[in-house]
Amino acid sequence: MHRNPGPRGTCAHEETHGHRLNGDAVESRARSYAVSKGVPFTPMRQSVLALLAASGKPMSAYEIAEKVSDARKLKAVQVYRALEFLQEAGCVHRLASRSAYFACDHLHGEGETVVFMVCAQCGAVQEAASELVARGLRGAAKTTGFRPRHPMIEVEGECAECAGTPER
Amino acid sequence: MHRNPGPRGTCAHEETHGHRLNGDAVESRARSYAVSKGVPFTPMRQSVLALLAASGKPMSAYEIAEKVSDARKLKAVQVYRALEFLQEAGCVHRLASRSAYFACDHLHGEGETVVFMVCAQCGAVQEAASELVARGLRGAAKTTGFRPRHPMIEVEGECAECAGTPER
DNA sequence: CAATGCTTGTTATACTGTTACATATGAGAC
DNA sequence: GTCTCATATGTAACAGTATAACAAGCATTG
Ligand SMILES: [Zn+2]
Ligand SMILES: [Zn+2]
Ligand SMILES: [Zn+2]
Ligand SMILES: [Zn+2]
């Protein structure tokens, strides 16, 4: 469903949406990953990813379960299973600060240190890789001999729109 | 309980303990905060803080409820209330990546950007403030006009001890 | 004493996530 | 085709995390 709607351009009513992303590109990344693992990209996985990509904002697993495809009401465990696959595929991230999940259309390199910037007003998430942050983390670790493996960086704040349009 | 045990030096069996911290100093910080807010530093708050400080490792709220003072079995809500106070007082942090709480004996400045380094093996947490990370975050935010407020940085990895003594 | 403000005790409930097991589906192997 | 195997799905129960609501206690103060 909702395949090939043409180019996903910016649309006029951003306030109801999260950061617009290219759902087709995200989905094709998921498909590639599925192929590479020799597993199917099932309708279940497709639906969850499509919902997240269309929303563009973080949603809790239960929120996803309610809203997926307007049809069959999913159980939480089904959503978690789909999310597990999508996270492995790199199409979805988990926001620990909110226990929420969101679609990502970036292609993250292996050692990349990614910063999630979460708007406290509208919930939208922006991502940025920062080599400077990565260096800072390595420096912090070195002072104590800590061996860093998986950094998790989430910054709460206000996105440009919400900061410019307070309380709207 | 376990007041004035003299200087808290390193002890011989670190594997069962987290990073040793000065429980007295932490508690006195909590007392100061209580005074400054005109509220009491109650036995409830004292017990929870003492347990966390003695353990030196992150514990879940329910774990705290079970282990506090060996006596009266606390309800979760009581633990959460104590933790709320202690977090405001700056004596306890929450680890979002583990939904766990740990005592902190640092005195964090207002805008300080703190990195939590969590050992995947032993669970111990080390903290370090990094101005370099702070600059990196500001840089990442600037590219999109994001206004950062509360960074949350948790790095999973291995502490020096566990990295040096794998699988022991 | 009475009023106020905060803490505590208690119950219930919401939200988040996992385990276990039965069933279905789909791709090779025979 | 059918068997077999691995994986995905359906279903139920449960474990773990966190908050809401309200009664009761205990202090300080007027
Ligand atoms: Zn991403
Ligand atoms: Zn916003
Ligand atoms: Zn700290
Ligand atoms: Zn360790």
Side-chain angles (χ1 to χ4, degrees):
Chain A
M1 74 204 52
H2 65 59
R3 308 307 331 294
N4 85 332
R8 291 275 209 317
T10 57
C11 77
H13 37 93
E14 279 291 335
E15 60 276 2
T16 59
H17 303 342
H19 138 76
R20 193 91 336 232
L21 47 70
N22 186 331
D24 293 342
V26 176
E27 183 173 315
S28 80
R29 287 236 323 283
R31 284 187 191 281
S32 302
Y33 177 78
V35 168
S36 83
K37 301 293 273 190
V39 301
F41 184 66
T42 62
M44 177 89 264
R45 291 161 180 178
Q46 201 273 339
S47 308
V48 170
L49 180 55
L51 174 64
L52 284 176
S55 144
K57 285 187 182 178
M59 304 174 67
S60 80
Y62 283 78
E63 223 175 324
I64 294 169
E66 281 172 5
K67 299 196 184 153
V68 129
S69 88
D70 309 292
R72 55 202 165 144
K73 177 72 153 59
L74 298 185
K75 303 294 187 185
V77 64
Q78 303 177 282
V79 176
Y80 282 110
R81 287 197 281 229
L83 288 174
E84 183 181 11
F85 169 87
L86 295 168
Q87 287 178 267
E88 281 169 11
C91 300
V92 165
H93 301 305
R94 178 174 188 269
L95 267 188
S97 57
R98 305 192 158 204
S99 297
Y101 305 81
F102 65 99
C104 155
D105 60 359
H106 300 80
L107 194 42
H108 299 296
E110 188 49 41
E112 211 176 64
T113 297
V114 182
V115 178
F116 298 153
M117 291 170 281
V118 187
C119 179
Q121 307 278 338
C122 71
V125 182
Q126 293 165 353
E127 302 185 41
S130 168
E131 182 49 41
L132 194 53
V133 170
R135 271 201 284 149
L137 292 182
R138 282 193 295 269
K142 194 155 50 182
T143 69
T144 60
F146 185 86
R147 198 163 301 189
R149 302 277 189 226
H150 305 297
M152 216 205 54
I153 306 167
E154 302 178 10
V155 184
E156 191 189 72
E158 289 156 332
C159 72
E161 267 198 50
C162 291
T165 323
E167 315 302 288
R168 199 247 296 249
Chain B
M1 79 202 46
H2 65 60
R3 313 302 335 292
N4 86 331
R8 292 276 209 317
T10 57
C11 75
H13 38 94
E14 280 291 336
E15 59 276 5
T16 61
H17 303 343
H19 140 75
R20 194 90 338 231
L21 48 68
N22 186 330
D24 293 342
V26 175
E27 182 173 316
S28 80
R29 287 235 323 283
R31 285 187 191 281
S32 302
Y33 177 78
V35 168
S36 83
K37 301 292 274 189
V39 301
F41 184 66
T42 62
M44 177 91 263
R45 292 162 181 178
Q46 201 273 337
S47 307
V48 171
L49 180 56
L51 175 63
L52 284 177
S55 145
K57 286 189 183 178
M59 303 174 67
S60 80
Y62 283 76
E63 221 176 325
I64 294 170
E66 281 172 4
K67 298 197 184 152
V68 130
S69 87
D70 309 293
R72 54 200 167 145
K73 179 70 155 59
L74 298 185
K75 305 292 187 186
V77 65
Q78 302 177 281
V79 175
Y80 281 110
R81 288 197 281 231
L83 288 173
E84 182 181 12
F85 169 87
L86 295 168
Q87 287 178 266
E88 282 168 11
C91 299
V92 164
H93 301 305
R94 176 176 190 271
L95 268 188
S97 57
R98 305 192 158 205
S99 298
Y101 305 82
F102 64 100
C104 156
D105 60 0
H106 299 80
L107 194 42
H108 299 296
E110 188 50 39
E112 210 175 66
T113 297
V114 182
V115 178
F116 298 153
M117 290 168 282
V118 187
C119 179
Q121 308 278 337
C122 71
V125 181
Q126 293 166 354
E127 301 185 40
S130 168
E131 182 50 41
L132 194 53
V133 170
R135 270 201 283 148
L137 292 182
R138 282 193 295 270
K142 194 156 49 182
T143 68
T144 60
F146 185 86
R147 199 164 300 190
R149 300 278 190 228
H150 305 295
M152 215 205 55
I153 305 167
E154 302 178 11
V155 184
E156 190 189 73
E158 288 158 332
C159 73
E161 264 197 53
C162 292
T165 323
E167 315 301 289
R168 196 247 295 251

